[in-house]
């Protein structure tokens, strides 16, 4: 249960409305035609240009950091950051590709507004970690593997929140919907507040990744671009990100992936 009040002076606290998933609400990009791309072991095409959708081992181990390097201030739990770096974006993009390559493509986008749930800014990393752990273990108990990545954002008018892309098999979506509000109550120690969590299939249809892989790839590319919109201007320019918004002050980890699609797992897979 999180009862500690936010640190005053670490990052400016703010009120404001929720940022969930505006506009089309993870809707389908039905008119886009994804160009083919030679992707090594990737099983499906990838697009070169993100389309404008306005959105959000077995994956049960502790989430791995997006930052590079070892030790030092970079990995401190109270470290502040204000944007995604080029190294973080490269890692997230590689993780998404690897998730598809191992048969666990991201099928769902989940946005959790931790500030509205009553979780202090400095506790958001732990809260997200607990949520993905509960989700991963639930899926594992019911015979499903998963992969995931998440990004934290903050800012005036948005509030501190998490965007999560995850592989959730269609058969497990109903079970996830029944359990997730209870998980949020356990994590925050407070009653669930309407609108704290938004969860939708990427592309607007369950099973799109199997029924129309090319269309799913287009929508996933757009969803990932949305999740990465808090990039620094330099990183956005390097990766050709067309959508850019302030990522806000984050204490602790700004992003993370499941271990099965992290840098170590990718390196091991490439040598097999």
């Amino acid at each position: 249960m999180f009862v500690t009040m936010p640190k005053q002076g670490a990052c400016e606290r703010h009120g404001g409305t929720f940022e969930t998933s505006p506009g089309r609400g993870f809707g389908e990009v039905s008119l886009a035609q994804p160009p083919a791309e030679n992707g090594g072991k990737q099983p499906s095409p990838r697009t070169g240009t993100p389309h404008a959708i306005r959105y959000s081992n077995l994956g049960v181990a502790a989430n791995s950091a997006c930052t590079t390097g070892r030790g030092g201030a970079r990995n401190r739990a109270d470290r502040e950051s204000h944007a995604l770096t080029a190294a973080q974006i490269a890692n997230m993009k590689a993780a998404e590709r690897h998730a598809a390559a191992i048969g666990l493509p991201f099928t769902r986008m989940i946005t959790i507004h931790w500030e509205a749930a009553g979780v202090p800014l400095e506790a958001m990393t732990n809260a997200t970690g607990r949520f993905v752990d509960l989700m991963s273990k639930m899926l594992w108990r019911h015979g499903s593997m998963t992969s995931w990545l998440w990004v934290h954002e903050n800012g005036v008018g948005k509030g501190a929140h998490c965007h999560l892309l995850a592989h959730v098999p269609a058969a497990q979506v109903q079970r996830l919907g029944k359990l997730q509000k209870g998980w949020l109550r356990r994590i925050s120690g407070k009653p669930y507040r309407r609108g704290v969590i938004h969860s939708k299939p990427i592309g607007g249809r369950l099973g799109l990744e199997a029924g129309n892989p090319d269309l799913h790839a287009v929508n996933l590319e757009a969803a990932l671009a949305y999740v990465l919109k808090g990039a620094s201007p330099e990183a956005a320019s390097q990766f050709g990100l067309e959508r850019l918004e302030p990522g806000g002050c984050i204490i602790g980890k700004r992003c993370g992936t499941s271990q099965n699609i992290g840098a170590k797992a990718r390196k091991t897979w490439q040598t097999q």
Side-chain angles (χ1 to χ4, degrees), residues 217-264:
V218 174
N219 281 272
L220 177 54
E221 189 79 13
L224 183 61
Y226 180 82
V227 167
L228 299 178
K229 68 185 183 297
S232 67
E234 297 78 13
S237 176
Q238 180 176 334
F239 288 94
L241 298 178
E242 297 179 349
R243 182 188 179 98
L244 187 61
E245 294 181 11
C249 179
I250 295 298
I251 300 176
K253 291 181 182 177
R254 180 169 287 273
C255 57
T257 75
S258 55
Q259 289 185 354
N260 59 348
I261 58 172
K264 183 177 180 179

Side-chain angles (χ1 to χ4, degrees), residues 27-180:
E28 174 186 348
V29 182
S30 58
L31 301 179
Q33 298 297 322
E37 176 178 322
N38 294 327
K41 299 180 182 178
Q42 298 174 31
S44 62
R46 286 292 181 268
T47 60
T49 303
H51 292 263
I53 295 182
R54 293 172 62 90
Y55 292 109
S56 142
N57 304 289
L58 298 168
V60 299
N63 41 301
S64 57
C66 253
T67 50
T68 57
R70 299 179 181 177
R74 188 174 295 231
N75 291 326
R76 281 171 42 197
D78 62 348
R79 176 179 179 266
E80 294 181 20
S81 66
H82 295 266
L84 288 166
T85 67
Q88 289 172 332
I89 291 173
N91 185 54
M92 302 291 268
K93 283 180 167 287
E96 182 274 317
R97 292 192 298 268
H98 190 64
I102 63 175
L104 299 173
F106 301 142
T107 60
R108 202 157 191 86
M109 181 167 178
I110 302 171
T111 296
I112 307 173
H113 201 290
W114 287 120
E115 182 173 338
V119 174
L121 183 60
E122 68 270 22
M124 185 162 62
T125 297
N126 286 337
T128 296
R130 289 186 63 188
F131 183 89
V132 294
D133 187 57
L134 288 165
M135 180 185 70
S136 300
K137 288 178 178 177
M138 179 277 288
L139 292 172
W140 171 241
R141 285 195 299 270
H142 291 89
S144 299
M145 298 174 66
T146 189
S147 64
W148 43 259
L149 64 76
W150 54 260
V151 175
H152 286 158
E153 292 183 357
N154 194 0
V156 176
K158 298 198 296 186
H161 61 281
C162 172
H163 292 304
L164 169 68
L165 301 181
H167 177 80
V168 180
Q172 302 298 335
V173 168
Q174 186 176 10
R175 181 173 285 109
L176 174 65
K178 290 180 179 179
L179 294 173
Q180 60 190 10

Side-chain angles (χ1 to χ4, degrees), residues 9-34:
C11 290
E12 291 286 335
R13 295 295 291 166
H14 59 274
T17 57
F18 295 3
E19 189 223 36
T20 55
S21 301
R24 299 189 61 172
F26 328 156
E28 174 186 348
V29 182
S30 58
L31 301 179
Q33 298 297 322

